[in-house]
Amino acid sequence: MQPKHALSAGEYIINVLGEGFKQNFLGTDINMEFLTLTVRSYATSTVKALRKLTVKAVKQQNINPTSI
């Protein structure tokens, strides 16, 4: 028997939000797999884009420091 997988905070929040949408807003006749994959893909791409912007901003600040 394998040990139970511990959920990270992000996984837990995604699961809770998915169930909340399913039960409260969308009803029972919704393709939750499609909705979950869509939300996860948007979240993943947003995080990746924010990381790239942050790294780029830090590199620019280190290369071209501005004096006050």
Side-chain angles (χ1 to χ4, degrees):
M1 185 172 175
Q2 295 180 354
K4 191 174 183 180
H5 172 69
L7 290 177
S8 70
E11 290 172 329
Y12 180 77
I13 290 171
I14 288 173
N15 290 339
V16 169
L17 287 174
E19 282 301 312
F21 278 122
K22 181 180 177 184
Q23 295 177 11
N24 293 321
F25 299 112
L26 302 173
T28 57
D29 296 330
I30 187 71
N31 186 348
M32 280 306 294
E33 291 177 15
F34 174 75
L35 181 64
T36 302
L37 289 173
T38 302
V39 170
R40 285 184 181 175
S41 67
Y42 281 127
T44 302
S45 61
T46 301
V47 168
K48 286 181 182 180
L50 288 174
R51 283 183 184 162
K52 285 182 182 181
L53 288 172
T54 304
V55 168
K56 185 177 179 181
V58 168
K59 285 182 180 180
Q60 280 185 339
Q61 190 175 20
N62 288 339
I63 293 172
N64 300 321
T66 57
S67 49
I68 300 175

